């Protein structure tokens, strides 16, 4: 894994944006995998600003989002659909965007459809990933086995707790999610793992301690031939650069 340790979050977002800009220059109709959470917010700001300045062109690109809560209405303020619209898709034009549908009647049929769409697009050229405090990627939670294709997952207590900050008090938070599978993530030609903040230092240390922890989904990335870790100093404090 290539490591790019940046001074701060802003620099990390710039560095990650540079990788996406290079990808689009080389292949304007790239299939891009996109993440949610607080970490990509600065990167998406950068996409919007560079695209507005004519420095990045997403108009031929295809976007596949990693995951979505289930069940959740698409127009719910905390749906990942709403998140993506607010932070990116309302501002930057893509040829197509695909997010697992949180209001599908049958989640399994929706996952099969998502797999078929990703396959028809030719798989991911470049995938953006964040990391959860328990090492989850997308919504692939620690488990004893991992589906290769998209599937419905039970969110762990830790993830529910971490994401509860986004839901109003007393509001029913979805306990399931639909997520891209580990096989689809692993098949991406290039992966950018963007990590920021001291709160992630512990999981980052664990990730790089030289063991393949099968209960840390992000450990699969250690085996992928083309992952670029873009990380700020706060998150990287426990590892060698
Ligand atoms: C969510 C998303 C992940 C994301 C993670 C970390 O659960 N499903 O894709 O990487 O949270 O989020 P944050 O960047 O807010 O720490």
């Amino acid at each position: 894994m290539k490591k790019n340790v940046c001074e701060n979050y802003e620099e990390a977002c710039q560095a990650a944006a540079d990788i996406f800009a290079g990808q689009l220059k080389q292949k304007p109709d790239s299939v891009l995998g996109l993440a949610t959470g607080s970490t990509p917010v600065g990167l998406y700001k950068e996409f919007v600003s560079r695209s507005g300045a004519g420095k990045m062109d997403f108009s031929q690109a295809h976007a596949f989002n990693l995951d979505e809560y289930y069940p959740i209405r698409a127009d719910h303020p905390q749906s990942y659909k709403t998140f993506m619209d607010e932070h990116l898709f309302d501002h930057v034009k893509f040829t197509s965007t695909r997010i697992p549908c949180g209001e599908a009647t049958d989640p399994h049929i929706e996952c099969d459809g998502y797999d078929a769409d990703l396959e028809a697009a030719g798989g991911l050229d470049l995938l953006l990933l964040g990391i959860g405090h328990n090492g989850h990627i997308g919504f692939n939670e620690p488990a004893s086995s991992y589906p290769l294709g998209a599937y419905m997952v039970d969110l762990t207590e830790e993830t529910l707790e971490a994401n509860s900050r986004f839901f109003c008090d007393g509001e029913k938070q979805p306990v399931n999610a639909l997520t891209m599978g580990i096989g689809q993530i692993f098949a991406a030609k290039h992966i950018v793992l963007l990590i920021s903040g001291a709160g992630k230092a512990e999981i980052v240390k664990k990730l790089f301690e030289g063991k393949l922890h099968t209960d840390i989904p992000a450990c699969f990335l250690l085996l992928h031939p083309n992952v670029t870790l873009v990380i700020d100093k706060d998150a990287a404090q426990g590892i060698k650069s």
Side-chain angles (χ1 to χ4, degrees):
M1 190 182 297
K2 288 188 275 290
K3 292 196 194 91
N4 181 357
V5 180
C6 302
E7 204 53 44
N8 52 43
Y9 175 62
E10 288 68 32
E11 268 189 26
C13 290
Q14 294 282 346
D18 288 346
I19 297 174
F20 277 81
Q23 173 69 37
L24 287 172
K25 224 175 207 146
Q26 192 200 319
K27 189 181 176 209
D29 60 347
S30 289
V31 180
L32 305 177
L34 299 177
T36 50
S38 45
T39 310
V41 169
L43 173 61
Y44 294 160
K45 258 195 195 139
E46 197 53 33
F47 284 175
V48 173
S49 120
R50 290 190 192 196
S51 145
K55 292 182 184 152
M56 278 178 94
D57 180 8
F58 292 86
S59 64
Q60 294 179 57
H62 302 269
F64 277 82
N65 260 85
L66 281 162
D67 49 15
E68 177 60 283
Y69 290 112
Y70 189 86
I72 198 163
R73 284 193 334 271
D75 64 357
H76 187 286
Q78 295 312 329
S79 77
Y80 284 170
K81 163 85 170 70
T82 301
F83 175 97
M84 290 309 296
D85 286 346
E86 279 176 3
H87 292 283
L88 192 60
F89 298 151
D90 283 350
H91 315 282
V92 170
K93 191 182 162 317
F94 283 77
T95 282
S96 70
T97 60
R98 178 71 162 98
I99 303 176
C101 179
E103 50 189 343
T105 328
D106 184 330
H108 308 292
I109 293 178
E110 170 57 14
C111 288
D112 288 349
Y114 180 88
D115 289 349
D117 290 347
L118 184 53
E119 199 182 326
L124 299 167
D125 291 305
L126 178 59
L127 168 63
L128 172 69
L129 287 179
I131 192 169
H133 292 98
N134 61 1
H136 74 230
I137 47 177
F139 262 138
N140 289 279
E141 295 278 36
S144 55
S145 68
Y146 300 90
L148 298 175
Y151 66 105
M152 181 161 77
V153 64
D154 296 333
L155 297 175
T156 60
E157 280 305 322
E158 197 175 359
T159 298
L160 289 170
E161 171 64 30
N163 291 356
S164 64
R165 66 190 196 272
F166 300 116
F167 289 83
C168 305
D169 276 349
E171 188 179 8
K172 204 166 162 250
Q173 191 182 344
V175 295
N176 291 101
L178 308 181
T179 185
M180 188 184 283
I182 288 289
Q184 293 162 316
I185 290 175
F186 206 79
K189 294 188 185 84
H190 185 187
I191 296 173
V192 172
L193 177 59
L194 181 61
I195 309 184
S196 163
K200 296 282 170 68
E202 199 180 316
I203 187 66
V204 169
K205 191 171 172 208
K206 194 109 202 251
L207 184 61
F208 288 103
E209 72 184 14
K211 286 183 201 163
L212 192 73
H213 295 280
T214 49
D215 60 348
I216 299 181
C219 274
F220 286 107
L221 302 175
L222 298 169
L223 304 176
H224 189 284
N226 194 13
V227 178
T228 307
L229 171 69
V230 181
I231 187 167
D232 64 17
K233 273 193 165 162
D234 287 348
Q237 57 193 264
I239 60 166
K240 285 186 239 123
S241 41

